[in-house]
Amino acid sequence: MTPSTIARSSFADDVRHYLQLRPRQLPSQYLYDTLGSALFDAICELPWYRITRAESRLLARHREQIFSHLPGLMNIVELGPGDGRKLRTLVEGTTEPLTAHLVDVSAGALARAAHTLSDALHIDVVTHEASFESGLDTIAREIRRSAAADATATGSAGRTLVLFLGSNIGNFDPPASAALLDRIAAVLQRGDAFLLGADLVKPERDLLIAYDDPLGVSAAFNLNVLLRINRELGGNFDLRGFRHRAAWNAALSRMEMFAVSTRRQHVRIEALGLQLDLEEREPIWTESSYKYTAEGLIDQLENAGFETVAQWIDREDPFALTLARKRT
Ligand code: AVJ
C-alpha cells in the first residue's frame, strides 16, 4: 500500500466512525487537505487571528536567549512545521550548524517548509513524511546512531531541541496532549530540550472573532472538510445547507468549531455506503482548540518529565513560548 492509500483508508474509517457518534464529529486533522492548508495560511494573515504573529514576535525577540540555554545543540525536530517560516525566524538566532528534522503527514507542507529553510545556509534539512509519533521514533533512532558514530570520532554527542509551535497542542484533548508530551519526553535524552508554543486564555470576544472572522475565512476552512468528504469519498454534502459556528467552552477552556446543518437533510457518502439524516440545527463538531494558562503549561510539562527553563509571554496577544529541559 502506498502512503496515500493508507491515509485515504484511515480518512474513510474515521469519517465513518466519527460521523455516526452523537454528537457527530470529524477529527480536526482532516481540515488540512491542499485547500484547507491554504485557507489556514490565509487565517494566519487575518488581523483577528493573532496566534501566528504573536509567536513569531516572541521567537524573533528571544531567539538568541533560547539558543544561549542550549549549548551543544545539534538537532532541531519540528512537529508540523507549516510553511517553515517560524523555524527560519528561530534559527536566525544562531550561526551554529544544525540539522533540522521536519515531521509532517503532508508531503506538500514538507516540501514548502524545506524550501523556506533553504536560504538558512547553516541548516541541513531532513524531512519525515510521518505522524508525529512515528517521526519522533525514527528521528530518535537516527540521532542516536549518528551520535554513537560521532562520539567515537570526536567524543561529542549533540543535544536535540523539539519544537511544537503554533498552539498545535490545542487540538489535543488533555489525555492526548499528556500522551504526546510523554512521548516527546521518552525520545529525548537528559539535557535535551522542548520548546512549546501555546495560546493563552483571553477575553471571549477576542477568541470568538479569531475563530469566526468577518471575512468568512474560518467558515470556509471549517466547511471545507465536508467538501473534502464529497471529493475523496463521494459524499453529497450541500455546503449551502451548513453554517460555521465557533463557541467558547469556558468549563473546558477550549474553542469549539462546528458545521451546523441549517435544515433537515439527508446525506450519502458513496465510498462508505453511509446514509445520514441530519436534523435542523444539528452540529457536526469539527475542532477543539484548547487555551491555556502560563502556569498550567508549566505543570503539564512537569508532569511529562520536563523542567521549565524559561517562559516568554506576549502580553499584547496572550501567547506563551515555554522552553523546558528533560529532567534527569
Ligand atoms: C492550527 C490548530 C493551531 O486551533 O487555532 C484556526 C487551527 N482553527 N482557526 C487553532 C484553526 C480555526 C489552529 N491550529
Side-chain angles (χ1 to χ4, degrees), residues 1-59:
M1 237 195 298
T2 65
S4 77
T5 43
I6 293 166
R8 168 99 30 91
S9 71
S10 81
F11 178 49
D13 293 345
D14 283 347
V15 168
R16 183 201 311 281
H17 174 74
Y18 286 95
L19 270 186
Q20 294 184 90
L21 296 180
R22 299 306 159 98
R24 300 186 196 274
Q25 304 169 31
L26 287 167
S28 60
Q29 69 193 91
Y30 298 117
L31 292 164
Y32 303 90
D33 62 351
T34 305
L35 178 55
S37 300
L39 289 166
F40 177 67
D41 290 346
I43 287 173
C44 294
E45 303 296 332
L46 297 174
W48 310 281
Y49 187 82
R50 308 177 75 91
I51 287 182
T52 318
R53 282 180 303 274
E55 186 173 53
S56 299
R57 277 199 302 274
L58 287 170
L59 288 168

Side-chain angles (χ1 to χ4, degrees), residues 32 40 43 49 51 166-168 171 210-211 218 221 257 287 289 291:
Y32 303 90
F40 177 67
I43 287 173
Y49 187 82
I51 287 182
S167 209
N168 284 327
N171 282 162
Y211 288 85
S218 304
F221 171 68
M257 261 188 0
E287 187 183 44
S289 257
K291 304 299 168 185

Side-chain angles (χ1 to χ4, degrees), residues 34-97:
T34 305
L35 178 55
S37 300
L39 289 166
F40 177 67
D41 290 346
I43 287 173
C44 294
E45 303 296 332
L46 297 174
W48 310 281
Y49 187 82
R50 308 177 75 91
I51 287 182
T52 318
R53 282 180 303 274
E55 186 173 53
S56 299
R57 277 199 302 274
L58 287 170
L59 288 168
R61 208 178 288 153
H62 303 294
R63 57 196 170 196
E64 281 87 6
Q65 218 193 327
I66 291 171
F67 287 110
S68 76
H69 286 294
L70 304 168
L73 185 69
M74 280 179 54
N75 303 288
I76 296 185
V77 178
E78 182 167 12
L79 306 179
D83 62 13
R85 271 151 65 184
K86 285 187 280 203
L87 179 53
R88 193 178 57 187
T89 298
L90 176 66
V91 298
E92 281 168 14
T94 181
T95 54
E96 296 294 317

Side-chain angles (χ1 to χ4, degrees), residues 76-82 84 86-88 100-104 117 132 139 161-165:
I76 296 185
V77 178
E78 182 167 12
L79 306 179
K86 285 187 280 203
L87 179 53
R88 193 178 57 187
H101 293 268
L102 312 181
V103 183
D104 205 289
L117 286 157
F132 295 160
I139 293 162
L161 169 68
V162 173
L163 304 178
F164 195 35
L165 301 178

